[in-house]
Each structure stands twice: as C-alpha cells, then as structure tokens.
Amino acid sequence: MKGKVISFPAPERGAVEPGDDALVASCAAGRAAALGTLFDRHHAMVHRVLSRLPGADAGDVEDLVQQTFIEVHRSARRFDGRSAVRTWIVSIAINVVRHHVRSEARRRALENAAVQASAALTPERPDDAERVHLADRLWKGMAKLSQDRWAAFVLCDLEGMSGVEAAEALDVPEGTVWRRLHEARNKLRETLKEE
Amino acid sequence: MKTVNSACPEPPELDRVFSEGADEAVEDHLRRCPRCAAEWAEIKKLAAAGRDMPYSPLSEDRREILRASIVARVSAPPRKSLAGPRAAVWAAAAAVLVLVAAAVIARFGFESRGSGAAARNSAANATVFPGKDASFTRLGSSTDGIIRLAEGTITVEVAALAKGERFRVVTGDAEVEVRGTLFDVTAVSDRLDSVRVIRGRVEVRPAGRTATVLDHGQRWNTAALSRSAQAIVEDGADQDQEDEEVPEASDVIEAAAGTPLTAAQNGTGPGASQPQVRVSMQSNTVEAAFEKGWQALSSGDPGRASGLFGLAASAAGSDPLAEDASYWMAVSLGRAAEKAKARAAFFSFLNRYPDSVRAGEASAMLGWLLFEAGDLDGAAGRFNDAAGDKVQRVRESARAGLEAVAKARGGP
C-alpha cells in the first residue's frame, strides 16, 4: 500500500484484502496492523467529518482523528456487525466530538474561533463572492447548532449518508435523524438569510 | 401567517425526500405548491453552500505521521532495555498478546460440504457445531468469513475455499485462520484457550515471534504460555522425545529451525488417551527479519532493508528488538530517500521509545529531515531535543542544525 511507514501486517498467506469486518476482528485480537489498514480506508471520511467541527483547527482535527481510531481499536471487541464498519467508525468520531466540546467554555471558544476562521475566507474570483459568502455564513451557523443537529447535518448533507446510515451512526431512530436534520436546516437557512 | 396545504409533506418529510430523492408525487406537488417549492429551493441552496465549504484534506506527510502515531499508540508498550537474557525475552512472550493464524498446509483429503457455486462461499462452506453454552457470532463477508467466538467450544469444518476466500475464528486475543480442515476452538472469557486439529495440518503463528505447526491430532493450548511456551500435545509421539517442528517458510522471511523447549501437560478432558508430549517453538523470526534487514542495509539496499526492519518491528511486539528494528527502519527509509516516510518513522520511533538511547540521534536525524522539508520550528525542536545527547557526534549535529535553522530564519 502506498505511503505506509511501517509494514505492520504479519505475514499472511494469499494476497486477499481483508474486509472491514475482518479488520475490526483483528483489532479485537490486538493487531495494530489491522488498525493501520482501517485508518488507510477510512481516515479521509473521518477527517472530513471532524473538519466540519466549527472552530477546530488543523491540529485539533488531527487529535480528534487520532482519538477516533484509538477508540476504534479499543472498542473493536464490542463491534457486533449490525452496522457497516464505516458507519460504526463515524459513530465513534461523533462521540469523540461530543466529548471534545462538552464544556461550554470550550464550545464558546470554538464559536469565536469559527467566526475568526470564516472571516479569513476570501473569494478567488469575483463570481465566487456569493458562494464564499454563503459558505462563510454557513460556517457561522454550524457553530450555533446543537451537537445533535450538527451531526445530522454533517452526516446527511455534507457526507451524503442515507437516513439509515446516519441513524446507525447516531444511534437514534431514522425519524429522529430527519427531525434533527430539519431543525438544523431551518437554523442554517435563518443564518444564511441574516446580513 | 403560514398555512400548510393538507397535501404538503410534513416538514421533516420534505427534508427526508430531499436527501433520499423525490418521488413522482412529491415532484408533482412541488410544481403546484409555491410554498413547498420555495422551501425546496432553500434546502437546495443550503446543500450547495455545504458543498462549497472549504476543506483541506490531510497532506501525505501529516497522514503518515498521524497513522504512525496511531499505530504506535495501540501497539504493545515499549521496553526500555535492549539488554537481557533470552530467557527473559521468552518470559515476556507470555504477556504478549497472542495471535494465532492457522493455515492449512498439507493436502489432506476430506469431505467437502456442499458443491457448486454456493458451496464456494467461505461462510457457507464452513459448518459450525457449537458445544454446550458456546457463544459466537458470524461476521465478515461472503469471501472473508469470520466466527467471533466469545465463550465455549465450537467445532468447525471448513471445506476447500476458492482462491482469495478466507475463513477465520477470532477470539478476544487470537485469530485462527483455516483453509480446508476440521478443528475445535475453545475460548474462555473471550480468550483463546485451545485449538485441536482433527483433520488437516495447520501452522500456528503467534503474534510477534513463534510459529508452530499442528498436524491432525495435535492440540495447541495456552496453559503453557505461563511457562513461556506454546504447548503442543500430540497423540502417539514419544514422550521423551523433544523434537523440532519444521514450520513452513513464512511468506516474507525464512524461519530458522525450531528450538525445543519444555514439555507441557496434556490439557484434554476425561477419556483422552495419555498423550505423548512434545513442545516446540519456532525459531526467532523477528531476529531473522532483523538480520536480513541488516544485510540488505549493509549491501546498499536500504529500500528492502526498511521493509524487513519494519516487518521485524511489527512482528516483535514487546520484544526489545522492536526498538532497534524501528530505529533502523527509519534510518533505512532516510537512506532510501523516502523522506516523508522517514520523517514519519522517526516520529513514530520517538513517540514510542522516548527513553531510547537512540532518541537523541533519532531527534537529530528527524531535525534534519524537517529542516529539508522547510519545517524550521519542528526542526529546531528536534535539534534542541538532541542538543543534550551523551554522544558528542549527536550534539555537534544538533548544534549545526540549530545554526542552520537560525541562518534560514535570517539570523546571524
């Protein structure tokens, strides 16, 4: 695999790429190599989701990605195969975010940082101005969403997850996902209308 | 005042339909209902704004560093000393997480269950006979079947698998991979307790070091792990005979000959015949990989050396040799001009072995790699870490590095 620093996998017979379930099972057996492969497969999605956390800088996001995968390894024995591994990993990432922003002080700091970060957005071309403006307002709006609504919006609208997948990732009924998404969209639409 | 047409979808329903795709009825409604159409347009605008949000993916460097850091964090804890008698190393093996990967080697005849295309599915090709109170779950895919065994004994018969198909039994601390055999697996409290091969021949590869071949009739159990060995109980063998198991050559490195260790007791239940006991331990594949890595590095092939050192490092688990292997892997990557990988490897090494006697030297080398990559702050930090090293050569390199950083920053 390209770019691997440490070739952790133990010698195995055959050149079969293990499935995600198998990798999680191997993690449960303590194999760091399996976690490395899960990271290769899913880090981009996890990083993208966590990058949508308002106010989190690049270092914060990397820390959260690291926490997510360490938790994946730690929780591997509890994985029961009822959801796809991808969805399960996202659920862990969302929980990591919940812990991260638990304190209100940190939440406020993130909101402030989000405002500062969004102010740095600049259009590359004149016709991009409106889009950048919208993205800027959206960024600020996301900082004001509750964790539940934020997660529903990021998973459904930004990551394109289905309602079933998002429900599994958030461990709520599918109807709850749509309600939260509706509330998130309403809030964000209000923000987009603000001047 | 807002009014809701009775035909309008409930608000969350419109959101659902937007995300999952509109059906004909909704599309028709949107054409006739300006209010819903306006709401739809706003949701669409919002989705477009979401897609336009800036996102910077991880750079290759950062990804490698992050990956190495994560893997290092979940790997076995480091040992501080490289020194120590071999006995201590074997004793450490008892504490090492044991992975058992069993692969059928011999071409023993057996009855295959099922036939035709359906029988080629690995999951379908495995028949599980659960013992009383056995607790297990089926996981995996059609080509990579997994039985997650938490408690009790199951007997598994796996017919011949097609090329590329796999089947495994996984416990909390071990993994048994099979290909066309009949065997028992027992777990106690989510830990692998024993494996008994009824038909076929398997190679048992505990994580990190020893591999053992089990023939049909042989049993592997964890009882002897506390005595730093894997035990094989073989029916029909001479009890006084301590014999070497000759393992299949591993895929990457050739294993040296086995080293007989202590005998172990039979762990079978009532009714089992008095077995002849034979215990063997495969030679140190970690050392073999390390040695080959060293030869490759010495002969001017750092690329190959890095792979072999990497293999040794990963297979070593808590073996003290893992520290050396990790260090030389990083050095090899640097010599192979794999700069990004070398940086990540040194980063990983220093993360995992901060108290290593080589930490200063590694810091200095990482400092120069970071300097070359233009990360002056990172380089300065590493050079500072190395500046107090006991070795003069390392201190001089660190000082030179700090001067280079200062110069690059426009200093004197």
Side-chain angles (χ1 to χ4, degrees), chain B residues 197-211:
Chain B
V197 179
I198 302 166
R199 186 170 60 223
R201 190 183 183 206
V202 302
E203 186 182 73
V204 182
R205 294 200 296 257
R209 55 177 57 260
T210 59

mmCIF file with all atom_site columns, all heavy atoms in Angstrom, chain B residues 197-211:
data_model
loop_
_atom_site.group_PDB
_atom_site.id
_atom_site.type_symbol
_atom_site.label_atom_id
_atom_site.label_alt_id
_atom_site.label_comp_id
_atom_site.label_asym_id
_atom_site.label_entity_id
_atom_site.label_seq_id
_atom_site.pdbx_PDB_ins_code
_atom_site.Cartn_x
_atom_site.Cartn_y
_atom_site.Cartn_z
_atom_site.occupancy
_atom_site.B_iso_or_equiv
_atom_site.pdbx_formal_charge
_atom_site.auth_seq_id
_atom_site.auth_comp_id
_atom_site.auth_asym_id
_atom_site.auth_atom_id
_atom_site.pdbx_PDB_model_num
ATOM 1   N N   . VAL B 1 197 ? -6.655  -29.823 16.177 1.00 0.00 ? 197 VAL B N   1
ATOM 2   C CA  . VAL B 1 197 ? -6.847  -30.123 14.755 1.00 0.00 ? 197 VAL B CA  1
ATOM 3   C C   . VAL B 1 197 ? -7.261  -31.580 14.609 1.00 0.00 ? 197 VAL B C   1
ATOM 4   O O   . VAL B 1 197 ? -6.537  -32.492 15.019 1.00 0.00 ? 197 VAL B O   1
ATOM 5   C CB  . VAL B 1 197 ? -5.556  -29.860 13.953 1.00 0.00 ? 197 VAL B CB  1
ATOM 6   C CG1 . VAL B 1 197 ? -5.765  -30.195 12.482 1.00 0.00 ? 197 VAL B CG1 1
ATOM 7   C CG2 . VAL B 1 197 ? -5.141  -28.409 14.113 1.00 0.00 ? 197 VAL B CG2 1
ATOM 8   N N   . ILE B 1 198 ? -8.439  -31.773 14.063 1.00 0.00 ? 198 ILE B N   1
ATOM 9   C CA  . ILE B 1 198 ? -8.945  -33.124 13.880 1.00 0.00 ? 198 ILE B CA  1
ATOM 10  C C   . ILE B 1 198 ? -8.534  -33.663 12.512 1.00 0.00 ? 198 ILE B C   1
ATOM 11  O O   . ILE B 1 198 ? -8.223  -34.828 12.354 1.00 0.00 ? 198 ILE B O   1
ATOM 12  C CB  . ILE B 1 198 ? -10.480 -33.123 14.019 1.00 0.00 ? 198 ILE B CB  1
ATOM 13  C CG1 . ILE B 1 198 ? -10.868 -32.577 15.396 1.00 0.00 ? 198 ILE B CG1 1
ATOM 14  C CG2 . ILE B 1 198 ? -11.065 -34.515 13.797 1.00 0.00 ? 198 ILE B CG2 1
ATOM 15  C CD1 . ILE B 1 198 ? -12.336 -32.215 15.520 1.00 0.00 ? 198 ILE B CD1 1
ATOM 16  N N   . ARG B 1 199 ? -8.510  -32.794 11.568 1.00 0.00 ? 199 ARG B N   1
ATOM 17  C CA  . ARG B 1 199 ? -8.131  -33.228 10.231 1.00 0.00 ? 199 ARG B CA  1
ATOM 18  C C   . ARG B 1 199 ? -7.410  -32.071 9.549  1.00 0.00 ? 199 ARG B C   1
ATOM 19  O O   . ARG B 1 199 ? -7.795  -30.917 9.697  1.00 0.00 ? 199 ARG B O   1
ATOM 20  C CB  . ARG B 1 199 ? -9.388  -33.605 9.435  1.00 0.00 ? 199 ARG B CB  1
ATOM 21  C CG  . ARG B 1 199 ? -9.088  -34.212 8.083  1.00 0.00 ? 199 ARG B CG  1
ATOM 22  C CD  . ARG B 1 199 ? -10.352 -34.781 7.451  1.00 0.00 ? 199 ARG B CD  1
ATOM 23  N NE  . ARG B 1 199 ? -11.369 -33.791 7.249  1.00 0.00 ? 199 ARG B NE  1
ATOM 24  C CZ  . ARG B 1 199 ? -12.659 -33.976 7.506  1.00 0.00 ? 199 ARG B CZ  1
ATOM 25  N NH1 . ARG B 1 199 ? -13.090 -35.106 8.024  1.00 0.00 ? 199 ARG B NH1 1
ATOM 26  N NH2 . ARG B 1 199 ? -13.542 -33.026 7.264  1.00 0.00 ? 199 ARG B NH2 1
ATOM 27  N N   . GLY B 1 200 ? -6.383  -32.390 8.848  1.00 0.00 ? 200 GLY B N   1
ATOM 28  C CA  . GLY B 1 200 ? -5.614  -31.347 8.185  1.00 0.00 ? 200 GLY B CA  1
ATOM 29  C C   . GLY B 1 200 ? -4.342  -31.032 8.958  1.00 0.00 ? 200 GLY B C   1
ATOM 30  O O   . GLY B 1 200 ? -3.979  -31.733 9.910  1.00 0.00 ? 200 GLY B O   1
ATOM 31  N N   . ARG B 1 201 ? -3.693  -30.023 8.554  1.00 0.00 ? 201 ARG B N   1
ATOM 32  C CA  . ARG B 1 201 ? -2.459  -29.606 9.215  1.00 0.00 ? 201 ARG B CA  1
ATOM 33  C C   . ARG B 1 201 ? -2.424  -28.085 9.210  1.00 0.00 ? 201 ARG B C   1
ATOM 34  O O   . ARG B 1 201 ? -2.748  -27.466 8.195  1.00 0.00 ? 201 ARG B O   1
ATOM 35  C CB  . ARG B 1 201 ? -1.255  -30.174 8.456  1.00 0.00 ? 201 ARG B CB  1
ATOM 36  C CG  . ARG B 1 201 ? 0.057   -30.011 9.173  1.00 0.00 ? 201 ARG B CG  1
ATOM 37  C CD  . ARG B 1 201 ? 1.175   -30.540 8.292  1.00 0.00 ? 201 ARG B CD  1
ATOM 38  N NE  . ARG B 1 201 ? 2.450   -30.476 8.969  1.00 0.00 ? 201 ARG B NE  1
ATOM 39  C CZ  . ARG B 1 201 ? 3.609   -30.383 8.336  1.00 0.00 ? 201 ARG B CZ  1
ATOM 40  N NH1 . ARG B 1 201 ? 3.646   -30.368 7.020  1.00 0.00 ? 201 ARG B NH1 1
ATOM 41  N NH2 . ARG B 1 201 ? 4.731   -30.336 9.006  1.00 0.00 ? 201 ARG B NH2 1
ATOM 42  N N   . VAL B 1 202 ? -2.079  -27.518 10.298 1.00 0.00 ? 202 VAL B N   1
ATOM 43  C CA  . VAL B 1 202 ? -2.133  -26.063 10.379 1.00 0.00 ? 202 VAL B CA  1
ATOM 44  C C   . VAL B 1 202 ? -0.823  -25.490 10.885 1.00 0.00 ? 202 VAL B C   1
ATOM 45  O O   . VAL B 1 202 ? -0.065  -26.159 11.586 1.00 0.00 ? 202 VAL B O   1
ATOM 46  C CB  . VAL B 1 202 ? -3.263  -25.577 11.316 1.00 0.00 ? 202 VAL B CB  1
ATOM 47  C CG1 . VAL B 1 202 ? -4.601  -26.086 10.874 1.00 0.00 ? 202 VAL B CG1 1
ATOM 48  C CG2 . VAL B 1 202 ? -2.969  -25.989 12.755 1.00 0.00 ? 202 VAL B CG2 1
ATOM 49  N N   . GLU B 1 203 ? -0.580  -24.300 10.502 1.00 0.00 ? 203 GLU B N   1
ATOM 50  C CA  . GLU B 1 203 ? 0.564   -23.566 11.045 1.00 0.00 ? 203 GLU B CA  1
ATOM 51  C C   . GLU B 1 203 ? 0.024   -22.524 12.009 1.00 0.00 ? 203 GLU B C   1
ATOM 52  O O   . GLU B 1 203 ? -0.833  -21.717 11.648 1.00 0.00 ? 203 GLU B O   1
ATOM 53  C CB  . GLU B 1 203 ? 1.340   -22.871 9.943  1.00 0.00 ? 203 GLU B CB  1
ATOM 54  C CG  . GLU B 1 203 ? 2.618   -22.220 10.446 1.00 0.00 ? 203 GLU B CG  1
ATOM 55  C CD  . GLU B 1 203 ? 3.342   -21.496 9.332  1.00 0.00 ? 203 GLU B CD  1
ATOM 56  O OE1 . GLU B 1 203 ? 2.858   -20.433 8.923  1.00 0.00 ? 203 GLU B OE1 1
ATOM 57  O OE2 . GLU B 1 203 ? 4.364   -22.003 8.867  1.00 0.00 ? 203 GLU B OE2 1
ATOM 58  N N   . VAL B 1 204 ? 0.542   -22.527 13.193 1.00 0.00 ? 204 VAL B N   1
ATOM 59  C CA  . VAL B 1 204 ? 0.096   -21.588 14.221 1.00 0.00 ? 204 VAL B CA  1
ATOM 60  C C   . VAL B 1 204 ? 1.158   -20.504 14.353 1.00 0.00 ? 204 VAL B C   1
ATOM 61  O O   . VAL B 1 204 ? 2.306   -20.801 14.632 1.00 0.00 ? 204 VAL B O   1
ATOM 62  C CB  . VAL B 1 204 ? -0.093  -22.305 15.573 1.00 0.00 ? 204 VAL B CB  1
ATOM 63  C CG1 . VAL B 1 204 ? -0.595  -21.337 16.630 1.00 0.00 ? 204 VAL B CG1 1
ATOM 64  C CG2 . VAL B 1 204 ? -1.069  -23.459 15.407 1.00 0.00 ? 204 VAL B CG2 1
ATOM 65  N N   . ARG B 1 205 ? 0.723   -19.297 14.142 1.00 0.00 ? 205 ARG B N   1
ATOM 66  C CA  . ARG B 1 205 ? 1.692   -18.191 14.194 1.00 0.00 ? 205 ARG B CA  1
ATOM 67  C C   . ARG B 1 205 ? 1.298   -17.203 15.276 1.00 0.00 ? 205 ARG B C   1
ATOM 68  O O   . ARG B 1 205 ? 0.521   -16.289 15.033 1.00 0.00 ? 205 ARG B O   1
ATOM 69  C CB  . ARG B 1 205 ? 1.756   -17.482 12.842 1.00 0.00 ? 205 ARG B CB  1
ATOM 70  C CG  . ARG B 1 205 ? 2.315   -18.330 11.726 1.00 0.00 ? 205 ARG B CG  1
ATOM 71  C CD  . ARG B 1 205 ? 2.794   -17.460 10.584 1.00 0.00 ? 205 ARG B CD  1
ATOM 72  N NE  . ARG B 1 205 ? 1.706   -16.725 9.969  1.00 0.00 ? 205 ARG B NE  1
ATOM 73  C CZ  . ARG B 1 205 ? 1.150   -17.063 8.815  1.00 0.00 ? 205 ARG B CZ  1
ATOM 74  N NH1 . ARG B 1 205 ? 1.578   -18.108 8.167  1.00 0.00 ? 205 ARG B NH1 1
ATOM 75  N NH2 . ARG B 1 205 ? 0.178   -16.342 8.322  1.00 0.00 ? 205 ARG B NH2 1
ATOM 76  N N   . PRO B 1 206 ? 1.813   -17.352 16.450 1.00 0.00 ? 206 PRO B N   1
ATOM 77  C CA  . PRO B 1 206 ? 1.520   -16.359 17.487 1.00 0.00 ? 206 PRO B CA  1
ATOM 78  C C   . PRO B 1 206 ? 2.121   -15.019 17.085 1.00 0.00 ? 206 PRO B C   1
ATOM 79  O O   . PRO B 1 206 ? 3.173   -14.981 16.465 1.00 0.00 ? 206 PRO B O   1
ATOM 80  C CB  . PRO B 1 206 ? 2.228   -16.909 18.728 1.00 0.00 ? 206 PRO B CB  1
ATOM 81  C CG  . PRO B 1 206 ? 2.476   -18.342 18.420 1.00 0.00 ? 206 PRO B CG  1
ATOM 82  C CD  . PRO B 1 206 ? 2.670   -18.419 16.935 1.00 0.00 ? 206 PRO B CD  1
ATOM 83  N N   . ALA B 1 207 ? 1.451   -13.987 17.458 1.00 0.00 ? 207 ALA B N   1
ATOM 84  C CA  . ALA B 1 207 ? 1.899   -12.649 17.067 1.00 0.00 ? 207 ALA B CA  1
ATOM 85  C C   . ALA B 1 207 ? 3.282   -12.382 17.613 1.00 0.00 ? 207 ALA B C   1
ATOM 86  O O   . ALA B 1 207 ? 3.571   -12.596 18.764 1.00 0.00 ? 207 ALA B O   1
ATOM 87  C CB  . ALA B 1 207 ? 0.948   -11.603 17.595 1.00 0.00 ? 207 ALA B CB  1
ATOM 88  N N   . GLY B 1 208 ? 4.091   -11.928 16.756 1.00 0.00 ? 208 GLY B N   1
ATOM 89  C CA  . GLY B 1 208 ? 5.357   -11.438 17.251 1.00 0.00 ? 208 GLY B CA  1
ATOM 90  C C   . GLY B 1 208 ? 6.535   -12.369 17.103 1.00 0.00 ? 208 GLY B C   1
ATOM 91  O O   . GLY B 1 208 ? 7.597   -11.932 16.743 1.00 0.00 ? 208 GLY B O   1
ATOM 92  N N   . ARG B 1 209 ? 6.348   -13.645 17.377 1.00 0.00 ? 209 ARG B N   1
ATOM 93  C CA  . ARG B 1 209 ? 7.567   -14.434 17.378 1.00 0.00 ? 209 ARG B CA  1
ATOM 94  C C   . ARG B 1 209 ? 7.403   -15.861 16.897 1.00 0.00 ? 209 ARG B C   1
ATOM 95  O O   . ARG B 1 209 ? 7.943   -16.216 15.869 1.00 0.00 ? 209 ARG B O   1
ATOM 96  C CB  . ARG B 1 209 ? 8.199   -14.435 18.747 1.00 0.00 ? 209 ARG B CB  1
ATOM 97  C CG  . ARG B 1 209 ? 7.290   -14.901 19.846 1.00 0.00 ? 209 ARG B CG  1
ATOM 98  C CD  . ARG B 1 209 ? 7.978   -14.968 21.202 1.00 0.00 ? 209 ARG B CD  1
ATOM 99  N NE  . ARG B 1 209 ? 8.564   -13.698 21.596 1.00 0.00 ? 209 ARG B NE  1
ATOM 100 C CZ  . ARG B 1 209 ? 9.840   -13.403 21.471 1.00 0.00 ? 209 ARG B CZ  1
ATOM 101 N NH1 . ARG B 1 209 ? 10.666  -14.300 21.007 1.00 0.00 ? 209 ARG B NH1 1
ATOM 102 N NH2 . ARG B 1 209 ? 10.308  -12.245 21.826 1.00 0.00 ? 209 ARG B NH2 1
ATOM 103 N N   . THR B 1 210 ? 6.753   -16.659 17.643 1.00 0.00 ? 210 THR B N   1
ATOM 104 C CA  . THR B 1 210 ? 6.871   -18.079 17.382 1.00 0.00 ? 210 THR B CA  1
ATOM 105 C C   . THR B 1 210 ? 5.762   -18.591 16.478 1.00 0.00 ? 210 THR B C   1
ATOM 106 O O   . THR B 1 210 ? 4.627   -18.171 16.578 1.00 0.00 ? 210 THR B O   1
ATOM 107 C CB  . THR B 1 210 ? 6.805   -18.863 18.694 1.00 0.00 ? 210 THR B CB  1
ATOM 108 O OG1 . THR B 1 210 ? 5.570   -18.570 19.340 1.00 0.00 ? 210 THR B OG1 1
ATOM 109 C CG2 . THR B 1 210 ? 7.959   -18.481 19.583 1.00 0.00 ? 210 THR B CG2 1
ATOM 110 N N   . ALA B 1 211 ? 6.115   -19.495 15.643 1.00 0.00 ? 211 ALA B N   1
ATOM 111 C CA  . ALA B 1 211 ? 5.124   -20.165 14.809 1.00 0.00 ? 211 ALA B CA  1
ATOM 112 C C   . ALA B 1 211 ? 5.260   -21.661 15.040 1.00 0.00 ? 211 ALA B C   1
ATOM 113 O O   . ALA B 1 211 ? 6.356   -22.165 15.268 1.00 0.00 ? 211 ALA B O   1
ATOM 114 C CB  . ALA B 1 211 ? 5.359   -19.827 13.342 1.00 0.00 ? 211 ALA B CB  1
#
